[in-house]
Amino acid sequence: MPFLPHPAPPAEAPALRPGEFEAIRHMAHDTFGLDLRTGKEALVSARLSKRVRDLGLPDISHYLDLVQADRTGVELARLIDALTTNFTSFLREPQHFEILSAKVLPALAGRPSFQIWSAGCATGEEPYSILFHVAEALGEQRASAMKLLATDISTRALDAAAAAIYPDQRLREMPPSWPKRYFQRGTGASLGSIRVRPEWRQRVTFQRLNLMEDFSHVSKCSVIFCRNVMIYFDKPTQERLVRRFAERLEPGGWLLIGHSEGLMGIQHGLEYVRPAVYRHPGGAQGGAKRTL
Ligand SMILES: C[S@@+](CC[C@H](N)C(=O)[O-])C[C@H]1O[C@@H](n2cnc3c(N)ncnc32)[C@H](O)[C@@H]1O
């Protein structure tokens, strides 16, 4: 999860009062696993000040009170949105899609059903990239064997993912055959936009899910993508999460993480295959280390 990407806050951001950064830091850690390091005070202040101003509150302390009092979780989701970024792209980290097409999908091709989970799907580019690869590898009909679950903590990101409207420059990220097959081009007021065709959009199940909370209801997965989400979680949080992912993988199932995220020093019980690629031990699809 690239976090607070701007090098400097806007000049008008007020400094945090003593204790405020700690309060935000605890809340962010306890509720969504974010490891806010010391030194980020000015940036946190810049990000939250805008929300404080928009709500007409006198300061960040009042804002934190409001977040805690809001039982709907809506303001907490806004806080998370303010502190994190949903940056993503189609075919980001293409090595994972190469493995998906070359190794994973051939082994799943004969199955009547299987599930792939995009955990931390942001605005949808990741699950749609998965979907289009599955369609290319298995064909449109056989691709319906896949249940594609896409979750994120951010309702704002999920709304954008479900709407699936992107600037048409994003077509440059894709193979030449994809735009016509999978997208509609906007006209009139929507000129310059593209939208995933409805028959493809409806194949993705989008759900809000905080990875810090129980997800034992998620049925067993053949592949879990959780990329660029854990990068700012501390090690104990990462370890707990990867162990819980391992429980949601079927034997031989794959966990794909971001290439800047290592699981070094973490006990998780998965087999290391190559950087950013792990597998649940056992199962008919074993032997990845030998074949990759
Ligand atoms: C940078 S995006 C990564 C998107 C995509 N996986 C990729 O690699 O391009 C990180 C996403 O993780 C989500 N996220 C952060 N903390 C989360 C949590 N505790 N539970 C679920 N999603 C979370 C953010 O809302 C954001 O959309």
Side-chain angles (χ1 to χ4, degrees):
M1 176 173 49
F3 175 70
L4 302 175
H6 306 297
E12 73 272 15
L16 294 174
R17 297 211 189 100
E20 285 182 342
F21 182 71
E22 277 306 303
I24 294 164
R25 183 179 167 146
H26 277 123
M27 189 182 286
H29 184 268
D30 295 350
T31 53
F32 63 104
L34 189 68
D35 185 19
L36 266 183
R37 306 277 164 86
T38 309
K40 297 283 186 194
E41 289 88 340
L43 292 168
V44 166
S45 167
R47 284 291 183 92
L48 295 189
S49 296
K50 182 176 180 322
R51 186 70 188 137
V52 170
R53 275 197 306 273
D54 289 351
L55 289 168
L57 295 171
D59 54 30
I60 285 176
S61 287
H62 282 80
Y63 177 63
L64 294 180
D65 290 346
L66 187 141
V67 173
Q68 265 158 345
D70 174 21
R71 301 256 165 235
T72 66
V74 170
E75 200 49 49
L76 179 64
R78 296 294 299 250
L79 172 69
I80 295 163
D81 276 341
L83 292 179
T84 61
T85 154
N86 307 120
F87 174 80
T88 184
S89 59
F90 288 100
L91 299 175
R92 184 178 193 185
E93 305 191 26
Q95 305 92 320
H96 284 145
F97 295 101
E98 285 157 22
I99 292 175
L100 187 69
S101 298
K103 295 283 168 194
V104 181
L105 294 173
L108 295 172
R111 296 255 302 259
S113 68
F114 60 91
Q115 173 158 271
I116 297 182
W117 178 14
S118 167
C121 66
T123 43
E125 290 87 334
E126 181 176 274
Y128 291 124
S129 298
I130 296 168
L131 176 63
F132 303 153
H133 273 88
V134 174
E136 298 289 322
L138 305 187
E140 188 172 340
Q141 288 306 316
R142 301 266 300 283
S144 58
M146 174 182 60
K147 180 171 181 236
L148 180 53
L149 175 65
T151 65
D152 201 281
I153 197 169
S154 165
T155 43
R156 203 177 52 172
L158 286 168
D159 288 347
I165 299 168
Y166 306 99
D168 63 5
Q169 297 98 302
R170 310 298 294 277
L171 295 175
R172 295 188 207 128
E173 298 165 9
M174 300 174 205
S177 63
W178 281 20
K180 210 163 172 214
R181 193 169 300 160
Y182 301 115
F183 291 87
Q184 299 166 313
R185 275 186 183 276
T187 53
S190 304
L191 201 65
S193 295
I194 51 167
R195 186 171 200 190
V196 176
R197 292 183 180 277
E199 63 270 31
W200 294 105
R201 289 201 303 272
Q202 70 191 18
R203 292 189 184 216
V204 190
T205 303
F206 289 105
Q207 277 174 13
R208 181 174 186 273
L209 190 149
N210 180 354
L211 292 168
M212 296 303 106
E213 293 171 3
D214 177 50
F215 53 69
S216 55
H217 59 280
V218 172
S219 42
K220 294 273 180 176
C221 300
S222 302
V223 192
I224 298 175
F225 284 72
C226 185
R227 307 184 311 157
N228 307 298
V229 179
M230 289 190 283
I231 190 166
Y232 291 100
F233 295 169
D234 59 23
K235 285 281 172 199
T237 307
Q238 288 180 356
E239 180 165 314
R240 279 194 300 277
L241 182 56
V242 175
R243 282 167 174 265
R244 289 162 63 231
F245 278 143
E247 286 168 14
R248 300 327 313 145
L249 281 175
E250 59 192 24
W254 303 73
L255 174 67
L256 307 178
I257 66 171
H259 282 80
S260 52
E261 302 166 305
L263 300 186
M264 288 277 283
I266 285 181
Q267 302 290 317
H268 48 68
L270 297 175
E271 288 175 356
Y272 169 84
V273 179
R274 55 191 270 183
V277 179
Y278 296 82
R279 288 191 80 175
H280 192 288
Q285 308 168 42
K289 279 185 203 159
R290 288 192 301 279
T291 55
L292 274 177

